[in-house]
Amino acid sequence: MPDIWKRLWYDKAEVEADTVSQVWDTSDSDTPSIATPSLAPAAAPKNIGIFSATAMGVSLMMGSGIFSTPASILGLVGTPSMALILWGLGAVISFGGATAFIELGLMYRRNGGTMRFLAHAFPKPKLMLAYLFSWVMIVCIRPGAIAANGPVIGKYWLYAAGITDSSGWQARAVGFGCITFVTALNIVSAKWSLRLINLLTVVKIVVILVIVITGIIAAAGGIHVAHNDNWSRGFAGTKGDAHAYASALTKVFWAYDGFTNLVYSLGELRRPERNLPWSIGGAVVIVGVLYIMANAAFFIVVPIDVAINSEEILAAEFTFRVFGRSVGQIALPVMIGFSVFG
């Protein structure tokens, strides 16, 4: 094995002791340089263990997508069977992307993620691609994703409060308050932010498991729900519009987005050579299985026409039909809102 690979993969003492740190050279050279220990910045404290790392991956992937997109994906492809295939395809492709980020993360074990990878891959013009990526991520991508999640929280909480018209500024106001709170918490304390992520990840998994388990029980006849032909129709009625499938896959990938986030804090991950593959890979597998089973549960209970018309609150329609008003229309929608909040 070439020495460079031995150094990148197996020289754990050098990496974990942080005796050498990669920094950007401020001279006229066009490539990043390796600084001596005396010039290297202080290493970030390694606060993230394997559970927190996996919880971060699951939490950042399992946002509003699984609750807000299944109805629109169903409307685009026409049948639950085809929708489920797209969710499975999204899981497989996302896992492939996760393996690429694991490889790159183990080669460059510092904070920065994609920015750092681009800087090493394309050093000319001097760090231009890394800078542009960082600018777009900070100004456009992250704020847009957060802004899209905020109103979904409001819609579920307003649904639980009995407010049916939640498509306007009321939902946006609730989302704005939640985003402001989370931003302030991250500024004040990284440790409390991790604790909140861990707690809300547990809430997310519990909510999804409730949906999955009740869907299975309903399919077995243990819970009485109105009969529908969602699965007995098979692929009859499946649409063949390529543009619709492209839009549906975009929504699927939006729901799976988030598995790359851990590499941005890689310098704070303990034992990355062990924890990074397990945390990112494990997060994608957990989320993929839960997503597929949750979609199956939705369409076991909710008829196609009702599911499509419910739009972003399909999960609330599901819980109402299974549990009734007290639990299904109030308690569980509040929990779903906290799931999106995480």
Side-chain angles (χ1 to χ4, degrees), residues 132-335:
L132 291 175
F133 171 81
S134 301
W135 186 88
V136 172
M137 180 65 71
I138 293 170
V139 176
C140 302
I141 299 175
R142 288 298 182 212
I146 294 170
N149 285 339
V152 178
I153 303 171
K155 287 182 179 181
Y156 276 98
W157 285 354
L158 292 172
Y159 177 89
I163 300 174
T164 56
D165 184 12
S166 59
S167 59
W169 288 103
Q170 291 174 313
R172 293 185 179 93
V174 173
F176 177 79
C178 293
I179 293 168
T180 302
F181 170 77
V182 172
T183 302
L185 182 62
N186 277 275
I187 292 172
V188 171
S189 174
K191 287 186 177 180
W192 277 103
S193 298
L194 284 174
R195 290 168 183 168
L196 181 62
I197 287 174
N198 292 343
L199 175 62
L200 293 178
T201 300
V202 173
V203 173
K204 291 181 181 186
I205 293 177
V206 169
V207 169
I208 292 292
L209 286 177
V210 168
I211 292 172
V212 169
I213 292 171
T214 52
I216 294 172
I217 295 174
I223 299 176
H224 176 71
V225 293
H227 176 73
N228 62 66
D229 63 346
N230 288 359
W231 297 111
S232 60
R233 69 169 59 192
F235 292 96
T238 300
K239 298 180 181 179
D241 183 5
H243 180 269
Y245 280 88
S247 298
L249 279 173
T250 300
K251 293 176 182 291
V252 169
F253 292 137
W254 156 258
Y256 280 108
D257 181 44
F259 60 84
T260 64
N261 285 280
L262 181 59
V263 297
Y264 293 99
S265 305
L266 196 55
E268 302 171 48
L269 179 66
R270 295 194 294 266
R271 296 186 63 187
E273 73 284 347
R274 185 200 69 172
N275 292 341
L276 185 64
W278 280 106
S279 56
I280 293 184
V284 174
V285 171
I286 290 170
V287 171
V289 171
L290 291 176
Y291 277 10
I292 292 170
M293 296 183 71
N295 273 272
F298 289 150
F299 303 132
I300 287 170
V301 173
V302 184
I304 286 181
D305 56 342
V306 178
I308 294 174
N309 291 329
S310 64
E311 298 179 343
E312 292 183 328
I313 56 171
L314 172 59
E317 181 67 32
F318 170 89
T319 58
F320 174 70
R321 286 173 173 264
V322 172
F323 296 102
R325 176 172 173 77
S326 297
V327 176
Q329 194 172 352
I330 299 175
L332 283 174
V334 169
M335 298 294 288

Side-chain angles (χ1 to χ4, degrees), residues 41-107:
K46 295 183 179 294
N47 295 322
I48 304 176
I50 188 168
F51 179 80
S52 291
T54 306
M56 184 183 298
V58 172
S59 178
L60 292 171
M61 289 178 70
M62 199 180 293
S64 64
I66 184 57
F67 303 112
S68 63
T69 63
S72 59
I73 292 170
L74 175 63
L76 288 167
V77 301
T79 57
S81 300
M82 181 54 68
L84 216 61
I85 289 175
L86 292 188
W87 282 99
L89 180 63
V92 172
I93 295 174
S94 297
F95 189 83
T99 60
F101 273 85
I102 291 169
E103 177 91 8
L104 291 168
L106 290 176
M107 292 177 67

